[in-house]
Amino acid sequence: MAPRLQLEKAAWQWAEMVKPEDITREHIELAYRVAVSACKRGACRRNCRGNPNCLVGIGEQSWLGEIDENAFHNIDDPNSERRDKNTFVGLTNLGATCYVNTFLQVWFHNLELRRALYRFQNSRAEGHNMDSDYEPRTICEHLQYLFALLQNSNRRYIDPSGLVKALGLDTGQQQDAQEFSKLFLSLLEDTLSKQKDPNLQNVIQQQFCGQFSYVTVCNKCGRESPLPSRFYELELNIQGHKNLTECVTEFLKEEKLDGDNRYYCESCQSKQNATRRIKLQSLPRTLNFQLMRFVFDRQSAHKKKLNTFISFPEVLDMGPFLGKEEKCTYELSAVLIHRGVSAYSGHYIAHVRDAHTNDWYKFNDEEIEKMEGKKLQLGIEEDIAETAKSQTRKPKCSKGYHCSRNAYMLVYKRQMEEIDQTETNVEVPAFLQKLVDQDNKKFEEWCNEMADMRKQSVDKGKAKHEEVKELYELLPAEDGQSYEFVPLEWLKKWLDDSTAIKEIDNKSRNIILRNIIHDLPYLFHFVQALGC
């Protein structure tokens, strides 16, 4: 017979022999199983129905086991927001601003640009009263302060909302990343050109601006007509190509001008067949290649993304493209990546090389990860919402080359024959460092405040834990001890810290003793009066 049925039979055996008028308190206590031994912890897996003295399996486990301090609060460890030693600082994604964050990290790692921005005359920052928060106004002020924070902040990541707001960007809508890069550099160049320092005036041109000419040659007289033009990046078609060299070669390829597209030659004073090509004149220190992954699809009348694999070298010799015998060597310094199959959505990530150590890092908004070993696959990021079946197999790459179907911009830095160690050291100016120190102080105060709140919650939780544990140990009623009826559900709610409970009115105890309630052992449990 099952234990529950055995208890049931033993509790009510007397009912067949005792007349109602002869029922005593002893009979009632026998029916209510008051004398049944209390269960011991470990002997029962769950609460015994039918034994009102069983106080096992009603929620006491969380109070009697080891203390988990995290259960007493919902405050994250403030130190998780602290920057780790020898790591970089991330940037908060404000909704759809990951494309901005990638460019900011790439530009921050351009040491010449960072050094130049630190020289930007900022009288507001230099004369700032430390009793209030510093609020930049112009684009250069925002970028200058942001770079100083990225360099010396104690925070794991910082908020770029000031700069984003100053640029008038919609944080909820993803913009054209390639267009943003052009417009921002143009805006920065215009602002810096008004500075008195000549090195500061020309820093954008020196770093990013190159020159080429559209050279048209008349087939009849051979007259050359060059049309010079500046560029901040070379926009390369990737359709039908496998590597960067093929893309650059096509960019410089000669085209024929004939038929309706003939060229008017001033020497011949008439339209003539001609050829036209782009001739590179000079290259900047930082050479940006825009891989045209987002193209207009005439059939759908919308932009689409090209997922073509393109291989690119870690070291690139641009000498042959300049028509020179001597080498013009560039080193890969950053790869900007778009994850996603659509041209209108997705996520932007940057792989950037640290100029000090030559180590590569993955910048993904707030998260930064060092890329080494098997993780050092530049330009490789899994696509969003793409099944394994739809993924094109990655072609094999030679040593010193990388291959990507998501890279949309490659950044190369000109290789210098002799590197001056001072060129890699960029110090934050004293007036900016004061502002960084002020922000670090605020951060430390916040950390201390969060730590205090966390400690108070833990101390309060521990005190309650000990109180409940002590009370629970007092609950079992031994033979001869006075006891109280407490509803089983009330006991469970009391042990469930998240449930608010009301006090119990046990004035009806004598009524219960005078009137036999068959289900009482299942609904109520007996606890020692002292525990109550």
Side-chain angles (χ1 to χ4, degrees), residues 133-168:
D133 291 338
Y134 171 62
E135 295 182 0
R137 291 179 183 172
T138 68
I139 301 300
C140 278
E141 286 178 4
H142 277 287
L143 197 59
Q144 186 185 60
Y145 182 46
L146 192 72
F147 278 10
L149 288 172
L150 284 173
Q151 186 165 337
N152 287 341
S153 177
N154 290 343
R155 300 177 188 268
R156 189 167 66 86
Y157 52 85
I158 57 177
D159 184 352
S161 56
L163 175 62
V164 171
K165 186 177 180 181
L167 290 169

Short mmCIF file of all heavy atoms in Angstrom, two decimals, residues 133-168:
data_model
loop_
_atom_site.label_atom_id
_atom_site.label_comp_id
_atom_site.label_asym_id
_atom_site.label_seq_id
_atom_site.Cartn_x
_atom_site.Cartn_y
_atom_site.Cartn_z
N ASP A 133 30.20 70.03 -16.40
CA ASP A 133 30.58 69.07 -17.45
C ASP A 133 30.96 69.82 -18.72
O ASP A 133 30.34 70.82 -19.08
CB ASP A 133 29.42 68.11 -17.75
CG ASP A 133 29.16 67.16 -16.60
OD1 ASP A 133 30.08 66.96 -15.79
OD2 ASP A 133 28.03 66.64 -16.51
N TYR A 134 31.98 69.30 -19.40
CA TYR A 134 32.42 69.90 -20.66
C TYR A 134 31.49 69.43 -21.78
O TYR A 134 31.23 68.24 -21.93
CB TYR A 134 33.86 69.49 -20.96
CG TYR A 134 34.34 69.88 -22.34
CD1 TYR A 134 34.42 71.21 -22.72
CD2 TYR A 134 34.73 68.90 -23.26
CE1 TYR A 134 34.86 71.58 -23.98
CE2 TYR A 134 35.18 69.25 -24.52
CZ TYR A 134 35.24 70.59 -24.88
OH TYR A 134 35.68 70.95 -26.13
N GLU A 135 31.00 70.38 -22.57
CA GLU A 135 30.11 70.06 -23.69
C GLU A 135 30.68 70.66 -24.98
O GLU A 135 30.56 71.86 -25.21
CB GLU A 135 28.70 70.59 -23.43
CG GLU A 135 28.01 69.92 -22.24
CD GLU A 135 26.60 70.43 -22.04
OE1 GLU A 135 26.17 71.31 -22.83
OE2 GLU A 135 25.93 69.97 -21.10
N PRO A 136 31.31 69.83 -25.83
CA PRO A 136 31.85 70.33 -27.11
C PRO A 136 30.72 70.85 -27.99
O PRO A 136 29.57 70.43 -27.86
CB PRO A 136 32.50 69.08 -27.72
CG PRO A 136 32.65 68.11 -26.60
CD PRO A 136 31.54 68.39 -25.65
N ARG A 137 31.08 71.74 -28.91
CA ARG A 137 30.08 72.30 -29.82
C ARG A 137 30.36 71.96 -31.28
O ARG A 137 29.51 71.44 -31.97
CB ARG A 137 30.01 73.82 -29.64
CG ARG A 137 29.44 74.25 -28.29
CD ARG A 137 29.44 75.77 -28.15
NE ARG A 137 28.97 76.19 -26.83
CZ ARG A 137 29.01 77.44 -26.39
NH1 ARG A 137 29.50 78.40 -27.17
NH2 ARG A 137 28.57 77.74 -25.18
N THR A 138 31.58 72.27 -31.74
CA THR A 138 31.90 72.04 -33.15
C THR A 138 32.28 70.58 -33.38
O THR A 138 32.56 69.83 -32.44
CB THR A 138 33.07 72.94 -33.60
OG1 THR A 138 34.26 72.51 -32.91
CG2 THR A 138 32.79 74.40 -33.27
N ILE A 139 32.33 70.19 -34.66
CA ILE A 139 32.69 68.82 -35.03
C ILE A 139 34.10 68.49 -34.54
O ILE A 139 34.34 67.42 -33.97
CB ILE A 139 32.61 68.64 -36.57
CG1 ILE A 139 31.20 68.93 -37.08
CG2 ILE A 139 33.05 67.23 -36.95
CD1 ILE A 139 30.13 68.05 -36.52
N CYS A 140 35.03 69.43 -34.73
CA CYS A 140 36.42 69.19 -34.31
C CYS A 140 36.54 69.08 -32.79
O CYS A 140 37.32 68.27 -32.29
CB CYS A 140 37.33 70.31 -34.83
SG CYS A 140 37.83 70.08 -36.55
N GLU A 141 35.78 69.89 -32.07
CA GLU A 141 35.80 69.80 -30.60
C GLU A 141 35.29 68.44 -30.14
O GLU A 141 35.86 67.82 -29.24
CB GLU A 141 34.93 70.92 -30.01
CG GLU A 141 35.56 72.30 -30.09
CD GLU A 141 34.65 73.39 -29.53
OE1 GLU A 141 33.56 73.05 -29.01
OE2 GLU A 141 35.01 74.57 -29.61
N HIS A 142 34.22 67.97 -30.77
CA HIS A 142 33.67 66.66 -30.41
C HIS A 142 34.67 65.55 -30.71
O HIS A 142 34.91 64.66 -29.89
CB HIS A 142 32.38 66.40 -31.20
CG HIS A 142 31.16 67.00 -30.58
ND1 HIS A 142 30.58 66.49 -29.43
CD2 HIS A 142 30.40 68.06 -30.95
CE1 HIS A 142 29.51 67.22 -29.12
NE2 HIS A 142 29.38 68.18 -30.02
N LEU A 143 35.27 65.60 -31.91
CA LEU A 143 36.20 64.54 -32.32
C LEU A 143 37.46 64.56 -31.47
O LEU A 143 37.99 63.50 -31.09
CB LEU A 143 36.55 64.72 -33.80
CG LEU A 143 37.17 63.52 -34.51
CD1 LEU A 143 36.24 62.32 -34.46
CD2 LEU A 143 37.50 63.86 -35.96
N GLN A 144 37.93 65.75 -31.14
CA GLN A 144 39.12 65.90 -30.30
C GLN A 144 38.90 65.28 -28.92
O GLN A 144 39.73 64.51 -28.42
CB GLN A 144 39.43 67.40 -30.17
CG GLN A 144 40.71 67.74 -29.46
CD GLN A 144 40.85 69.24 -29.28
OE1 GLN A 144 40.01 69.88 -28.63
NE2 GLN A 144 41.89 69.83 -29.85
N TYR A 145 37.77 65.60 -28.31
CA TYR A 145 37.44 65.07 -26.98
C TYR A 145 37.19 63.57 -27.03
O TYR A 145 37.62 62.81 -26.15
CB TYR A 145 36.20 65.81 -26.45
CG TYR A 145 35.78 65.40 -25.06
CD1 TYR A 145 36.70 65.28 -24.02
CD2 TYR A 145 34.43 65.15 -24.76
CE1 TYR A 145 36.30 64.91 -22.74
CE2 TYR A 145 34.03 64.79 -23.49
CZ TYR A 145 34.96 64.67 -22.49
OH TYR A 145 34.57 64.30 -21.22
N LEU A 146 36.52 63.12 -28.10
CA LEU A 146 36.24 61.69 -28.26
C LEU A 146 37.53 60.89 -28.38
O LEU A 146 37.69 59.83 -27.75
CB LEU A 146 35.37 61.48 -29.50
CG LEU A 146 34.73 60.10 -29.66
CD1 LEU A 146 33.61 59.91 -28.65
CD2 LEU A 146 34.17 59.94 -31.07
N PHE A 147 38.49 61.39 -29.15
CA PHE A 147 39.77 60.71 -29.31
C PHE A 147 40.53 60.65 -27.98
O PHE A 147 41.17 59.64 -27.67
CB PHE A 147 40.63 61.41 -30.37
CG PHE A 147 40.28 61.02 -31.79
CD1 PHE A 147 39.16 60.26 -32.06
CD2 PHE A 147 41.08 61.41 -32.85
CE1 PHE A 147 38.83 59.89 -33.36
CE2 PHE A 147 40.77 61.04 -34.15
CZ PHE A 147 39.64 60.28 -34.41
N ALA A 148 40.47 61.74 -27.21
CA ALA A 148 41.15 61.76 -25.90
C ALA A 148 40.53 60.71 -24.97
O ALA A 148 41.25 60.03 -24.22
CB ALA A 148 41.05 63.15 -25.28
N LEU A 149 39.21 60.57 -25.01
CA LEU A 149 38.53 59.56 -24.19
C LEU A 149 38.88 58.15 -24.67
O LEU A 149 39.11 57.24 -23.86
CB LEU A 149 37.02 59.76 -24.23
CG LEU A 149 36.46 60.97 -23.46
CD1 LEU A 149 34.98 61.15 -23.76
CD2 LEU A 149 36.68 60.82 -21.96
N LEU A 150 38.91 57.95 -25.99
CA LEU A 150 39.27 56.64 -26.53
C LEU A 150 40.69 56.25 -26.12
O LEU A 150 40.99 55.07 -25.96
CB LEU A 150 39.16 56.64 -28.06
CG LEU A 150 37.75 56.58 -28.66
CD1 LEU A 150 37.80 56.75 -30.17
CD2 LEU A 150 37.06 55.27 -28.31
N GLN A 151 41.53 57.25 -25.91
CA GLN A 151 42.92 56.96 -25.57
C GLN A 151 43.11 56.70 -24.07
O GLN A 151 43.80 55.75 -23.69
CB GLN A 151 43.82 58.12 -26.01
CG GLN A 151 45.31 57.85 -25.82
CD GLN A 151 46.18 58.83 -26.58
OE1 GLN A 151 45.74 59.44 -27.56
NE2 GLN A 151 47.42 58.99 -26.15
N ASN A 152 42.49 57.53 -23.21
CA ASN A 152 42.82 57.45 -21.78
C ASN A 152 41.63 57.26 -20.84
O ASN A 152 41.77 57.43 -19.63
CB ASN A 152 43.59 58.71 -21.35
CG ASN A 152 45.02 58.72 -21.87
OD1 ASN A 152 45.56 57.68 -22.25
ND2 ASN A 152 45.63 59.88 -21.91
N SER A 153 40.48 56.93 -21.37
CA SER A 153 39.32 56.72 -20.49
C SER A 153 39.46 55.42 -19.70
O SER A 153 40.08 54.46 -20.16
CB SER A 153 38.03 56.67 -21.32
OG SER A 153 36.91 56.40 -20.49
N ASN A 154 38.87 55.42 -18.50
CA ASN A 154 38.83 54.20 -17.68
C ASN A 154 37.60 53.35 -18.02
O ASN A 154 37.47 52.24 -17.52
CB ASN A 154 38.78 54.55 -16.19
CG ASN A 154 40.10 55.13 -15.70
OD1 ASN A 154 41.12 54.99 -16.37
ND2 ASN A 154 40.08 55.78 -14.55
N ARG A 155 36.73 53.89 -18.86
CA ARG A 155 35.50 53.17 -19.21
C ARG A 155 35.80 52.12 -20.28
O ARG A 155 36.68 52.30 -21.11
CB ARG A 155 34.43 54.13 -19.75
CG ARG A 155 34.02 55.22 -18.76
CD ARG A 155 33.02 56.16 -19.42
NE ARG A 155 32.74 57.33 -18.60
CZ ARG A 155 31.75 57.42 -17.72
NH1 ARG A 155 30.94 56.39 -17.55
NH2 ARG A 155 31.56 58.52 -17.02
N ARG A 156 35.01 51.04 -20.26
CA ARG A 156 35.16 49.99 -21.28
C ARG A 156 34.67 50.48 -22.63
O ARG A 156 35.17 50.06 -23.67
CB ARG A 156 34.40 48.73 -20.85
CG ARG A 156 34.66 47.52 -21.72
CD ARG A 156 34.14 46.25 -21.07
NE ARG A 156 32.70 46.25 -20.95
CZ ARG A 156 31.86 45.83 -21.90
NH1 ARG A 156 32.33 45.41 -23.06
NH2 ARG A 156 30.56 45.84 -21.71
N TYR A 157 33.69 51.36 -22.62
CA TYR A 157 33.19 51.97 -23.86
C TYR A 157 32.63 53.34 -23.53
O TYR A 157 32.26 53.62 -22.38
CB TYR A 157 32.11 51.10 -24.53
CG TYR A 157 30.98 50.69 -23.62
CD1 TYR A 157 29.88 51.52 -23.42
CD2 TYR A 157 31.01 49.47 -22.95
CE1 TYR A 157 28.85 51.15 -22.57
CE2 TYR A 157 29.98 49.08 -22.11
CZ TYR A 157 28.90 49.93 -21.93
OH TYR A 157 27.88 49.57 -21.09
N ILE A 158 32.59 54.21 -24.53
CA ILE A 158 32.10 55.57 -24.32
C ILE A 158 30.96 55.86 -25.28
O ILE A 158 30.76 55.17 -26.28
CB ILE A 158 33.23 56.61 -24.48
CG1 ILE A 158 33.89 56.50 -25.84
CG2 ILE A 158 34.25 56.47 -23.38
CD1 ILE A 158 34.95 57.54 -26.10
N ASP A 159 30.25 56.92 -24.98
CA ASP A 159 29.04 57.29 -25.72
C ASP A 159 29.37 58.39 -26.74
O ASP A 159 29.76 59.49 -26.35
CB ASP A 159 27.99 57.78 -24.73
CG ASP A 159 26.66 58.11 -25.38
OD1 ASP A 159 26.59 58.08 -26.62
OD2 ASP A 159 25.68 58.38 -24.65
N PRO A 160 29.21 58.12 -28.05
CA PRO A 160 29.52 59.14 -29.06
C PRO A 160 28.32 59.99 -29.46
O PRO A 160 28.33 60.62 -30.52
CB PRO A 160 29.98 58.28 -30.25
CG PRO A 160 29.12 57.06 -30.15
CD PRO A 160 28.85 56.84 -28.67
N SER A 161 27.28 60.01 -28.63
CA SER A 161 26.03 60.68 -29.02
C SER A 161 26.22 62.17 -29.28
O SER A 161 25.51 62.75 -30.11
CB SER A 161 24.94 60.46 -27.96
OG SER A 161 25.38 60.89 -26.69
N GLY A 162 27.17 62.82 -28.58
CA GLY A 162 27.41 64.25 -28.80
C GLY A 162 27.84 64.51 -30.23
O GLY A 162 27.31 65.41 -30.91
N LEU A 163 28.80 63.73 -30.73
CA LEU A 163 29.28 63.89 -32.11
C LEU A 163 28.19 63.53 -33.11
O LEU A 163 27.98 64.25 -34.10
CB LEU A 163 30.51 63.01 -32.33
CG LEU A 163 31.05 62.97 -33.77
CD1 LEU A 163 31.52 64.35 -34.21
CD2 LEU A 163 32.18 61.96 -33.89
N VAL A 164 27.48 62.44 -32.85
CA VAL A 164 26.42 62.00 -33.77
C VAL A 164 25.33 63.07 -33.88
O VAL A 164 24.83 63.36 -34.97
CB VAL A 164 25.83 60.65 -33.29
CG1 VAL A 164 24.58 60.29 -34.09
CG2 VAL A 164 26.87 59.55 -33.41
N LYS A 165 24.99 63.68 -32.74
CA LYS A 165 23.97 64.73 -32.74
C LYS A 165 24.47 65.97 -33.49
O LYS A 165 23.72 66.60 -34.25
CB LYS A 165 23.61 65.10 -31.30
CG LYS A 165 22.46 66.07 -31.18
CD LYS A 165 22.10 66.33 -29.72
CE LYS A 165 20.95 67.33 -29.60
NZ LYS A 165 20.60 67.60 -28.18
N ALA A 166 25.75 66.31 -33.28
CA ALA A 166 26.33 67.48 -33.95
C ALA A 166 26.35 67.29 -35.47
O ALA A 166 26.23 68.25 -36.23
CB ALA A 166 27.74 67.73 -33.43
N LEU A 167 26.48 66.03 -35.91
CA LEU A 167 26.48 65.73 -37.35
C LEU A 167 25.07 65.68 -37.93
O LEU A 167 24.90 65.61 -39.14
CB LEU A 167 27.18 64.39 -37.60
CG LEU A 167 28.70 64.37 -37.38
CD1 LEU A 167 29.21 62.94 -37.39
CD2 LEU A 167 29.41 65.20 -38.43
N GLY A 168 24.07 65.68 -37.03
CA GLY A 168 22.68 65.65 -37.49
C GLY A 168 22.26 64.30 -38.04
O GLY A 168 21.38 64.22 -38.91
#
